[in-house]
Amino acid sequence: MRKTGTSVQHTIKSPIYCRGIGLHSGRVVTMTLRPAAVDSGIVFRRVDLDPVVDLPALWSNAMASPLCTTLRNDEGVTVSTIEHLMAALHAGGIDNIVVELDAAEVPILDGSADPFLFLIDCAGPMAQTRTRRSIEVRKTIRVEAGESWAEITPDARLSIQCDIDFASHAIGRQSTDIVVAAQGFRDEIARARTFGFLHEVEQMRAAGLARGGSLDNAIVVDGDTVLNEEGLRFDDEFVRHKTLDIIGDLYLAGAPLLGRVRAHRPSHALTYKLLTQLFADAEAWRYHPAVELDGESADDQPLSWVEPVAALSA
């Protein structure tokens, strides 16, 4: 019997590839997205190495980093800047996929998640014959780092409240409050680009980082001025991108989280710390277990975790 009213796992129908610049390496990267079997999860594959190395996209394989999200195995093999692709996979409902790379970094493309959603759409999501697990948050977990903090509390869906506060008048104080949903992500979050300050970019380049960064793939702020000639895609694009990063980093849980996230002045390292603390407490979470669908097609099964987006507040 087919289970009805349940959410099923999804992969993509066919492989698709793109080429782009690595934000920190500055080198051209070829990335290929490939279909994957049920229960295999999201796996980043370094095909430039011999033998090829697979890195599952899980919090337990991640490194705390202020600049980007990086996976690392015990042998020191890494894949970095995965967060924008992870956010697109999360919002696109993709559970199982292989991400092949011929370098140690995901291409930055335009600095948002929108191009990755386009790739997923072109490849075509494909339903699979096993139910999708979610992770139910059962108690409040809170982490702090200086003036920054983040917490997750029990809820029936994933929602994120995020606020930032910068001295630059180009950014200032901004906040969002959203329910993580497929269409809402596309309309309100996906196009928000990564950003940085000109003096920080110069410092990173001196340290051998941000070699691929440009006005084509990031918002660059100099004092109180946005240097990009085309301006911003949203008045509050900065906090929307911070929310995008949180969505991508949370998908390192290995399944969609059901909880209410609140974050003040967030970072990749802070979200990583939140996941680490959550999974360190066996009473703080539980799975909704996967169920076999007896090999039947599940094309008509709804993605039950997708819900309307809440209004964004300036």
Side-chain angles (χ1 to χ4, degrees):
M1 292 283 295
R2 177 188 301 179
K3 289 183 68 64
T4 59
T6 60
S7 171
V8 297
Q9 295 180 28
H10 281 69
T11 186
I12 55 174
K13 292 179 181 178
S14 58
I16 192 168
Y17 80 96
C18 70
R19 289 193 181 92
I21 299 295
L23 176 62
H24 294 296
S25 67
R27 63 169 290 183
V28 176
V29 182
T30 299
M31 180 182 76
T32 303
L33 305 181
R34 296 190 181 278
V38 295
D39 293 334
S40 59
I42 298 167
V43 176
F44 287 81
R45 177 169 293 164
R46 289 282 304 275
V47 298
D48 57 315
L49 302 178
D50 187 13
V52 168
V53 175
D54 283 353
L55 293 167
L58 297 170
W59 65 273
S60 53
N61 294 331
M63 298 169 53
S65 170
L67 298 178
C68 64
T69 303
T70 300
L71 299 174
R72 184 181 187 276
N73 69 6
D74 292 339
E75 287 70 45
V77 177
T78 63
V79 171
S80 63
T81 324
I82 68 171
E83 57 270 20
H84 303 165
L85 174 58
M86 290 293 291
L89 294 171
H90 189 302
I94 302 300
D95 303 279
N96 306 303
I97 198 167
V98 174
V99 182
E100 291 186 350
L101 298 164
D102 65 355
E105 189 174 12
V106 173
I108 191 63
L109 302 181
D110 76 343
S112 78
D114 200 46
F116 297 115
L117 278 177
F118 176 76
L119 289 173
I120 294 168
D121 289 344
C122 290
M126 183 177 72
Q128 297 176 290
T129 56
R130 189 178 289 270
T131 57
R132 181 184 224 201
R133 290 196 304 181
S134 58
I135 297 171
E136 177 188 349
V137 176
R138 306 189 70 190
K139 61 189 287 190
T140 297
I141 300 293
R142 181 183 174 97
V143 295
E144 300 178 0
E147 297 181 7
S148 301
W149 57 266
E151 69 177 21
I152 187 167
T153 57
D155 205 341
R157 58 190 182 182
L158 177 61
S159 64
I160 299 173
Q161 177 187 336
C162 175
D163 64 84
I164 60 175
D165 189 356
F166 286 84
S168 169
H169 292 302
I171 306 175
R173 299 181 65 178
Q174 300 180 2
S175 65
T176 59
D177 194 344
I178 70 165
V179 174
V180 179
Q183 194 58 50
F185 181 87
R186 288 176 183 272
D187 295 341
E188 307 291 348
I189 300 296
R191 295 178 61 247
R193 295 161 294 174
T194 192
F195 64 92
F197 291 92
L198 181 61
H199 70 276
E200 293 176 341
V201 173
E202 293 170 342
Q203 291 170 0
M204 286 191 289
R205 284 181 174 170
L209 300 171
R211 293 174 176 173
S214 72
L215 295 174
D216 293 327
N217 54 41
I219 306 168
V220 180
V221 178
D222 185 13
D224 295 330
T225 304
V226 173
L227 298 183
N228 304 66
E229 290 186 5
E230 74 278 14
L232 300 176
R233 295 176 176 177
F234 307 95
D235 290 341
D236 56 352
E237 187 169 357
F238 303 97
V239 73
R240 294 186 193 223
H241 186 80
K242 284 290 189 179
T243 303
L244 186 159
D245 282 343
I246 293 171
I247 293 168
D249 290 343
L250 288 177
Y251 209 27
L252 289 171
L257 284 169
L258 304 178
R260 168 74 167 165
V261 176
R262 297 172 62 225
H264 175 66
R265 304 180 68 174
S267 65
H268 296 296
L270 192 67
T271 307
Y272 168 76
K273 186 176 182 181
L274 183 67
L275 286 177
T276 301
Q277 292 291 340
L278 173 67
F279 289 110
D281 186 344
E283 297 181 353
W285 63 279
R286 66 181 177 187
Y287 280 118
H288 291 288
V291 178
E292 192 76 45
L293 295 184
D294 298 332
E296 295 187 25
S297 172
D299 290 345
D300 60 344
Q301 297 296 314
L303 290 176
S304 59
W305 67 284
V306 174
E307 301 184 24
V309 69
L312 287 162
S313 58

